[in-house]
Amino acid sequence: MNETAQESLNTAVWGRIAAAGNRAARWPWWLQVGGLYVAARLVSACIFMAAALHQGVNPWFPPRPDYWNFINIWDARWYGEALSNGYPTQLPVDEAGNVKENAWAFYPLFPLLGRSLSGLTGAAPAASLTVIAMLSGLAASLVIYRLFRLKSAHRTALWGSVFFSVFPVAPVLQVPYAESLNLLLLAAALLMVMRRRYLWAIPVVLLMCLSRPTGVPFAAMAGLLLLWRLYPYLRLRFQGLPRAGGPVAEEVPHNAAELWSLTGLTAAAGLGALLWPAIAWATTGDVQAYTKTETVWRGQDLVPFKPWFDTGIQLFGPGLGLLAPFVFVAAFALLMMSRPVAALGAELRLWCICYTGYLLVFLHPQTSTFRMLLPLFPLALSAALVSRSRAYRGTVVVMFLLLQLVWVVWLWAWAQLPGGGDYPP
């Protein structure tokens, strides 16, 4: 093929791609968002299948498993245990009296829905959990797009949802983990908060609190938002100042009922955050049943902030290691003050701040930390707001997909460490 013919072929191919893109741009928004999310999950499925071909000896199945076996490992086994056998009435302990790993660390909404689906359809527990995770992830992408549309135009919101769909740890949205269900409920709650439908958000938040431990940061976010809205309301009410225009006026509640509704949401989120630990206490008779179980995986008692300094010292030595958490906090503060993040508005910025603060207080940083960053999905819209350049946005997508390869091969696939075990995803 001569050079002229090659150029004509390239022009024809790119012309067809552009024409297909123009046709897709005329689809309804939900079809665009859903189609791109499904395409992202198919890419992730290919990554899983390629990694499975190289999977060696592991604790769960023979080498080179099929796709369905490969995605049903790690915490998926614990959710399956909770679905099939429920939660223990007595905490299991070893010979020394220390609490052993058990199902109380895994919140009940996801396995409860799986049990219901298995009962209705007769499907295997693993299949039911996988279906729920996949459908929840798809629904979450649609709700997230609607959330982003409150702060941006269609194309930017669409890119933000694409960034969410291809995020480096996004493959977890199609495995039997509760992340996709939790993100669906979290995004729905945030959407209602941004629309100031606080009372409607309460049942969603309570369900969210039973899917994963996001109740504490949500309650903190709602409480800070209440204070943020209360000050200008009181100032207008008691000083008799006129309601001005501009962004400040947007933060002023329309009436006292709106403030009381937000107060109710704050209280409900706080109670919801305590609901699962209270259920564990009532069932086992041990007031620390949930906390003891949760800390088994970290191998030490819960001491706020300390694990971050311990990890910093482990990675950077005793000098720089003590400074590392402060450097991280300073960098995050600068990020929160940047123009793309400021464009998210008070609610989404407060959520990102409160959730990150929650991780700093309670999280033991490890390889699972990457997965726990998914609730910071509003930053995907900020990433799309950085530039409208197709080259920039396309590069972000490609880099995220390459990092999916890293995440699946490094953390999801099992490769025994010299000391035994493997890094968890």
Side-chain angles (χ1 to χ4, degrees):
M1 183 180 297
N2 58 40
E3 185 175 344
T4 303
Q6 183 66 48
E7 290 179 357
S8 299
L9 178 60
N10 290 340
T11 301
V13 169
W14 284 110
R16 288 180 178 272
I17 293 175
N22 290 333
R23 288 194 297 270
R26 294 192 290 270
W27 293 352
W29 70 266
W30 54 267
L31 190 56
Q32 294 182 49
V33 176
L36 289 168
Y37 180 83
V38 170
R41 297 286 64 77
L42 289 174
V43 173
S44 298
C46 292
I47 294 173
F48 273 126
M49 288 186 285
L53 292 175
H54 300 279
Q55 176 64 67
V57 177
N58 61 87
W60 301 287
F61 38 66
R64 296 170 62 90
D66 60 26
Y67 172 79
W68 301 107
N69 276 319
F70 192 56
I71 65 171
N72 277 278
I73 58 176
W74 298 104
D75 289 355
R77 295 302 177 103
W78 282 110
Y79 284 114
E81 168 69 17
L83 185 157
S84 301
N85 302 315
Y87 295 86
T89 56
Q90 290 186 337
L91 294 178
V93 296
D94 58 21
E95 295 179 355
N98 300 312
V99 174
K100 297 193 295 185
E101 296 177 355
N102 65 85
W104 280 112
F106 301 90
Y107 280 56
L109 183 60
F110 185 52
L112 181 61
L113 291 176
R115 181 182 297 177
S116 300
L117 183 59
S118 291
L120 289 173
T121 64
S128 295
L129 292 175
T130 303
V131 168
I132 291 170
M134 289 182 171
L135 293 179
S136 296
L138 175 60
S141 70
L142 299 175
V143 177
I144 286 171
Y145 168 83
R146 297 305 302 171
L147 183 66
F148 288 174
R149 279 291 282 120
L150 297 178
K151 292 297 178 181
S152 67
H154 164 72
R155 186 175 293 275
T156 301
L158 185 63
W159 275 103
S161 67
V162 169
F163 288 173
F164 160 75
S165 300
V166 299
F167 193 67
V169 297
V172 79
L173 300 175
Q174 66 199 74
V175 306
Y177 272 47
E179 266 74 6
S180 54
L181 177 62
N182 178 255
L183 288 175
L184 169 60
L185 296 168
L186 172 61
L190 289 173
L191 181 61
M192 293 178 189
V193 167
M194 292 187 68
R195 290 177 172 173
R196 304 197 182 196
R197 297 175 181 175
Y198 303 122
L199 295 181
W200 285 98
I202 289 176
V204 179
V205 169
L206 292 177
L207 289 174
M208 181 195 74
C209 291
L210 292 174
S211 63
R212 277 192 57 79
T214 47
V216 170
F218 195 94
M221 180 272 294
L224 290 174
L225 184 63
L226 175 62
L227 296 176
W228 178 260
R229 296 267 166 80
L230 184 61
Y231 173 73
Y233 176 81
L234 294 177
R235 188 164 176 259
L236 286 172
R237 183 176 178 85
F238 293 108
Q239 295 184 12
L241 298 177
R243 181 184 289 268
V248 175
E250 296 179 2
E251 303 304 333
V252 180
H254 298 100
N255 51 56
E258 187 176 297
L259 283 173
W260 282 113
S261 298
L262 182 52
T263 302
L265 175 61
T266 303
L271 292 174
L274 300 174
L275 187 57
W276 184 235
I279 293 173
W281 174 18
T283 304
T284 64
D286 189 335
V287 67
Q288 293 183 307
Y290 171 73
T291 306
K292 288 179 179 178
T293 300
E294 188 68 49
T295 54
V296 169
W297 273 266
R298 66 177 64 189
Q300 56 184 312
D301 293 335
L302 176 63
V303 180
F305 299 109
K306 183 176 180 294
W308 288 91
F309 291 98
D310 292 341
T311 301
I313 292 172
Q314 181 182 354
L315 294 175
F316 306 111
L320 294 177
L322 291 174
L323 293 176
F326 295 103
V327 173
F328 170 78
V329 170
F332 182 77
L334 290 175
L335 175 65
M336 288 297 102
M337 291 186 291
S338 65
R339 182 174 297 178
V341 177
L344 296 178
E347 297 92 345
L348 294 182
R349 273 210 294 177
L350 279 176
W351 164 251
C352 291
I353 292 169
C354 291
Y355 183 72
T356 303
Y358 169 79
L359 295 182
L360 286 171
V361 175
F362 296 108
L363 180 67
H364 180 89
Q366 54 175 316
T367 48
S368 295
T369 303
F370 301 117
R371 172 169 54 89
M372 295 179 187
L373 297 179
L374 271 174
L376 294 173
F377 69 84
L379 296 180
L381 178 59
S382 297
L385 289 168
V386 168
S387 172
R388 295 183 180 181
S389 165
R390 290 185 180 181
Y392 158 74
R393 291 171 171 175
T395 300
V396 171
V397 170
V398 171
M399 292 303 299
F400 278 0
L401 291 175
L402 291 175
L403 289 173
Q404 281 190 29
L405 276 168
V406 175
W407 186 80
V408 171
V409 173
W410 175 38
L411 295 178
W412 189 265
W414 173 272
Q416 184 167 315
L417 298 171
D422 189 19
Y423 296 120

